Amino acid sequence: MLKLAVLISGGGSNLKALIEATAHPGFPAKIVCVGADTDAAGLAYATDAGIQSFVVRPADHPNRAAWGTALAAAIREHDVDLVVSAGLMRILPAGFVSEFSPGLINTHPALLPLFPGAHAVRDALAAGATETGVTVHIIDEGVDTGPVLRQATVAVRAGETEAELHERIKQQERPLLVDTVRAIADGSLDLAAAASTAASDATSTAATG
Ligand code: GAR
């Protein structure tokens, strides 16, 4: 049984989907803790499900690295196998990434490498994209640059708002994240292999120019 920590900042609909999926007997992973960087509304889903949660606020630490160290320590108390960033709206510091990656994944509301960053849905609309989507990827030291594990495409509708498009992306995102976690937990998706394939691709791209 793979033990998960889920990190959030907001409403937590992806967390809710993971809680519901992992509650099914036979699902090969369970959530052992939920962490947040703020008093996220989604923490209520953890409380309701009887899952331990914690808040580690950047403002309580002298710098981002120290915040990351405190967040890592809180996660370490729970004997976690995989950390899932599901709407955590912070860049994780290098020390945190090197401790957990490749067992550290993120879900992002765009088809990476397009539209990285905190405003992916807005940026896709502003660019006039006709399609966008969602990416689940391993977190590396960059911002939304890590090896892609799964993607799903969403067509952009004429005239729709950022909120409308984001909600339609999330409808794809929640099952995609659940399926990715299931694949990691049942061994059909090997994160170490995905990370090393991406690293060797990058090396051969650099070598060939
Ligand atoms: C999700 O769409 C997630 O991809 C996005 O925040 C949303 C959280 O929704 N994350 C990012 O934009 C990170 N760059 P939720 O709180 O309802 O799960």
Side-chain angles (χ1 to χ4, degrees), residues 44-88:
Y45 292 126
T47 306
D48 291 350
I51 298 167
Q52 290 188 52
S53 64
F54 52 83
V55 179
V56 182
R57 292 178 180 78
D60 292 340
H61 300 278
N63 52 48
R64 232 162 49 77
W67 170 70
T69 301
L71 185 64
I75 292 170
R76 230 179 280 125
E77 283 182 23
H78 296 273
D79 189 21
V80 164
D81 302 308
L82 176 70
V83 179
V84 182
S85 164
L88 180 77

Side-chain angles (χ1 to χ4, degrees), residues 10-14 86-89 107-109 117-118 144 166 170 173:
S13 72
N14 283 283
L88 180 77
M89 300 304 287
T107 181
H108 181 78
D144 300 325
H166 199 167
K170 285 195 201 183
E173 181 174 35

Side-chain angles (χ1 to χ4, degrees), residues 109-110 115 118-126 132-133 161-163 165-166 169:
F115 311 118
H119 305 291
V121 181
R122 187 187 309 171
D123 293 347
L125 283 173
T132 183
T161 65
E162 179 183 351
L165 177 57
H166 199 167
I169 290 170

Side-chain angles (χ1 to χ4, degrees), residues 15-32:
L15 167 65
K16 180 170 181 276
L18 285 169
I19 290 173
E20 288 170 358
T22 54
H24 282 101
F27 195 93
K30 67 174 179 181
I31 303 172
V32 294

Side-chain angles (χ1 to χ4, degrees), residues 168-189:
R168 290 196 309 108
I169 290 170
K170 285 195 201 183
Q171 286 166 13
Q172 303 293 318
E173 181 174 35
R174 294 184 280 255
L176 190 77
L177 181 61
V178 167
D179 284 351
T180 309
V181 169
R182 183 191 290 109
I184 296 166
D186 72 17
S188 55
L189 176 56

